[in-house]
């Protein structure tokens, strides 16, 4: 029995399906990760893996970036959690409100799931209405709304919703097609009397918004006085320092952050217009619209120190130019690999994000994505995994980071081309 076998066996006996829920792998591909540096992971067998998952996009600076290590090391000695404002959380909140136009007030939590959950609760309390409109195929974390119609059959008529998990509450959610401004605006108008919020991923998974789509949704929400929530857990600090608000020039009423903001440490934040956010003030607890929020580890100084160090890196002059150029070059390479190996496919993504969908026709929303060959996608991802590329084999996003360069991307593309030749 090798070290890996013993770890794999232990993993399989303690974690359901052998994983902590990130993704499942055939037993021979189970890897136990020991360390990470830049865009390379080392597993328990001493194998180096080229990382295109980057902690599901949370480690945008690269693994063990010296600036993050230093910030965390310096802070950790001074105490790790007081569950109360500290210099680091204050500095981070002020920076968030500078870079995020809608963020007049900010609160911290420990994950993106909590951040979107609080945005939805706030919107419901503010409007005193219950129904949430989300877009088909969008993910907003593991809260009930976040996993409604995440991977539905595609047969339900809009605005019908499908639960994508058992055990979730029957909170009222209606669903619209992403990138279909007319249908979505019509649904917003028809349901305005019951809608508490419209929530969206501005860049949904790896699907870019068509020109005018986000503006149309913003206008419909403004017309019908419905709070618009941007889930910037992925786009925040990634497609621009000011996230989707800066990149697309559309400003929501509430916003949720997580992932890249923490430089690889656990973090979440939500913010927005003061009149909505102030419903969380504990001195308003007697009011009917008072909103409960609490997070034991939210705003802890270690995560906030890491976040402040990450944001300082992101503010360096060339950061987003570099990430965009790298992402563009990478996506061009994905197209070339598909072409050279004779596979029909679409390359999705923007900024430092990429994804292949094996579909002969353009993919602009969830239903056009259903036409893609997902079995082939999984086979490609597992093939890459077997060639020591670490990624999410569910066929989702490929995350680049500040630690990736042309050489790392070219190495990925070589391995991809070899895998595609075998498919
Ligand atoms: N929102 C989006 C768009 C996400 O992609 C994710 C996670 O992948 C979340 C929310 C949930 O964030 P977390 O996993 O930190 O709870």
């Amino acid at each position: 029995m090798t070290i890996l076998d013993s770890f794999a066996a232990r993993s399989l006996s303690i974690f359901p399906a052998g994983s902590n829920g990130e993704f499942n792998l055939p037993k021979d591909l189970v890897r136990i990760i020991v360390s990470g540096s830049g865009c390379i992971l080392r597993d328990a067998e001493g194998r180096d893996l080229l990382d295109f998952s980057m902690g599901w996009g949370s480690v945008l600076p690269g693994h063990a970036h010296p600036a993050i290590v230093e910030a965390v090391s310096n802070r950790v000695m001074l105490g790790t959690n007081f569950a109360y404002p500290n210099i680091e959380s204050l500095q981070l909140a002020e920076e968030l409100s500078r870079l995020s136009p809608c963020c007049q007030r900010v609160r911290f939590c420990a994950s993106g799931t909590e951040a979107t959950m609080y945005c939805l609760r706030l919107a419901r309390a503010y409007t005193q209405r219950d129904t949430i409109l989300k877009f088909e195929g969008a993910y907003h974390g593991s809260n009930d709304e976040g996993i409604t119609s995440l991977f539905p059959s595609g047969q339900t008529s809009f605005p019908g919703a499908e639960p994508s998990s058992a055990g979730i509450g029957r909170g009222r959610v209606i669903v619209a097609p992403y990138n279909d401004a007319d249908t979505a605006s019509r649904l917003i108008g028809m349901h305005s009397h019951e809608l508490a919020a419209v929530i969206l991923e501005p860049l949904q998974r790896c699907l870019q918004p068509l020109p005018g789509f986000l503006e149309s949704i913003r206008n419909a929400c403004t017309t019908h006085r419905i709070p618009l929530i941007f889930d910037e857990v992925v786009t925040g600090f990634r497609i621009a320092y000011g996230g989707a608000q800066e990149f697309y020039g559309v400003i929501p009423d509430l916003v949720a952050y997580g992932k890249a903001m923490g430089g690889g440490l656990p973090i979440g934040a939500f913010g927005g217009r003061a009149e909505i956010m102030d419903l969380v003030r504990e001195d308003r607890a007697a009011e009917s619209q008072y909103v409960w929020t609490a997070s034991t580890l939210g705003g802890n100084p270690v995560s906030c120190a890491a976040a402040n160090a990450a944001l300082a890196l992101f503010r360096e002059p060339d950061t987003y130019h570099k990430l965009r150029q790298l992402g563009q070059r990478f996506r061009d390479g994905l197209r070339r690999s598909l072409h050279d190996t004779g596979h029909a496919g679409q390359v999705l993504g923007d900024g430092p994000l990429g994804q292949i969908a094996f579909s002969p026709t353009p993919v602009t929303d969830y239903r056009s994505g259903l036409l893609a060959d997902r079995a082939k996608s999984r086979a490609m991802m597992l093939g890459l995994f077997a060639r020591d590329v670490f990624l999410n084999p569910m066929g989702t996003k490929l995350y680049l980071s500040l630690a990736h360069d042309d050489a790392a991307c070219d190495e990925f593309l070589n391995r991809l081309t070899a895998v595609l030749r075998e498919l």
Side-chain angles (χ1 to χ4, degrees):
M1 186 182 268
T2 66
I3 300 175
L4 185 62
D5 281 336
S6 66
F7 276 124
R10 282 164 58 189
S11 243
L12 283 159
S13 69
I14 187 72
F15 296 126
S19 89
N20 194 33
E22 297 87 357
F23 43 76
N24 297 328
L25 289 165
K27 186 167 179 275
D28 60 323
L29 289 182
V30 170
R31 306 272 185 261
I32 302 298
I33 307 301
V34 173
S35 62
S37 174
C39 63
I40 304 292
L41 298 177
R42 170 129 328 155
D43 77 4
E45 281 200 325
R47 193 189 279 116
D48 284 341
L49 313 169
L50 201 46
D51 191 1
F52 277 74
S53 164
M54 300 307 293
W56 277 5
S58 60
V59 197
L60 185 57
H63 296 291
H65 189 289
I68 308 291
V69 173
E70 187 187 355
V72 170
S73 311
N74 289 342
R75 179 60 243 189
V76 85
M77 291 181 299
L78 302 172
T80 56
N81 192 27
F82 317 119
Y84 205 71
N86 50 76
I87 302 289
E88 286 77 8
S89 66
L90 187 57
Q91 186 188 335
L92 181 59
E94 287 171 348
E95 182 59 14
L96 268 184
S97 89
R98 261 193 294 276
L99 70 92
S100 172
C102 79
C103 260
Q104 292 173 321
R105 300 272 196 277
V106 178
R107 272 214 169 160
F108 291 112
C109 49
S111 69
T113 293
E114 285 169 74
T116 58
M117 176 191 76
Y118 284 129
C119 287
L120 295 171
R121 183 178 298 167
L122 270 161
R124 283 183 166 128
Y126 177 73
T127 58
Q128 303 187 49
R129 297 191 287 254
D130 277 341
T131 305
I132 303 296
L133 184 141
K134 73 167 288 191
F135 289 86
E136 191 174 41
Y139 181 52
H140 300 297
S142 293
N143 54 60
D144 290 2
E145 292 85 356
I147 52 168
T148 297
S149 286
L150 172 57
F151 38 81
S153 62
Q155 307 296 318
T156 305
S157 308
F158 295 112
E162 289 179 33
S164 293
S165 165
I168 62 175
R170 297 269 158 192
R172 183 109 172 85
V173 178
I174 63 172
V175 177
Y178 182 71
N179 266 337
D180 181 344
D182 289 346
T183 304
S185 303
R186 188 170 46 76
L187 289 173
I188 292 169
M190 275 168 58
H191 293 269
S192 57
H193 59 285
E194 56 170 322
L195 275 181
V198 172
I199 185 168
L200 53 79
E201 290 184 78
L203 173 83
Q204 184 173 302
R205 311 286 73 208
C206 268
L207 302 173
Q208 297 186 51
L210 293 174
F213 174 69
L214 296 175
E215 290 83 351
S216 298
I217 304 304
R218 173 66 277 181
N219 289 340
C221 287
T222 305
T223 303
H224 298 287
R225 300 166 150 273
I226 299 162
L228 174 63
I229 303 169
F230 270 13
D231 175 350
E232 293 236 38
V233 172
V234 168
T235 49
F237 310 98
R238 195 178 318 274
I239 57 173
Y241 186 60
Q245 295 180 69
E246 176 188 325
F247 196 66
Y248 301 118
V250 176
I251 311 303
D253 302 293
L254 290 166
V255 62
Y257 293 106
K259 290 204 195 260
M261 184 173 77
L265 273 84
I267 204 158
F270 56 102
R273 282 175 30 213
E275 88 183 284
I276 309 179
M277 285 296 293
D278 281 348
L279 295 176
V280 304
R281 290 176 57 137
E282 286 73 13
D283 57 0
R284 296 178 64 173
E287 295 177 24
S288 61
Q289 280 174 287
Y290 165 68
V291 171
W292 171 268
T293 71
S295 175
T296 300
L297 287 160
N300 78 75
V302 180
S303 291
C304 291
N308 288 325
L311 267 53
L313 284 175
F314 302 156
R315 280 196 299 275
E316 284 178 10
D318 214 27
T319 299
Y320 292 95
H321 178 66
K322 186 191 154 195
L323 285 174
R324 250 173 245 140
Q325 275 204 327
L326 192 72
Q328 192 56 53
R329 187 179 177 280
F330 179 61
R331 286 186 297 277
D332 288 345
L334 296 176
R335 278 185 203 98
R336 220 175 20 256
S337 280
L338 286 171
H339 177 266
D340 292 351
T341 54
H343 288 278
Q346 308 295 320
V347 173
L348 312 174
D350 205 345
L353 291 165
Q355 183 179 351
I356 289 178
F358 288 104
S359 170
T361 50
V363 178
T364 54
D365 62 4
Y366 177 78
R367 292 195 185 189
S368 48
L370 282 180
L371 302 176
D373 183 341
R374 280 181 290 175
K376 198 187 227 185
S377 214
R378 168 102 178 153
M380 172 186 73
M381 295 305 224
L382 289 179
L384 283 163
F385 221 98
R387 282 180 167 76
D388 294 342
V389 178
F390 190 85
L391 37 66
N392 180 343
M394 284 155 70
T396 54
K397 300 184 194 92
L398 300 164
Y399 279 104
L400 304 179
S401 74
L402 288 171
H404 288 78
D405 57 11
D406 289 352
C409 291
D410 289 346
E411 185 52 44
F412 174 97
L413 293 167
N414 288 339
R415 297 185 201 183
L416 173 69
T417 304
V419 170
L420 290 177
R421 286 197 201 289
E422 284 173 8
L423 284 185

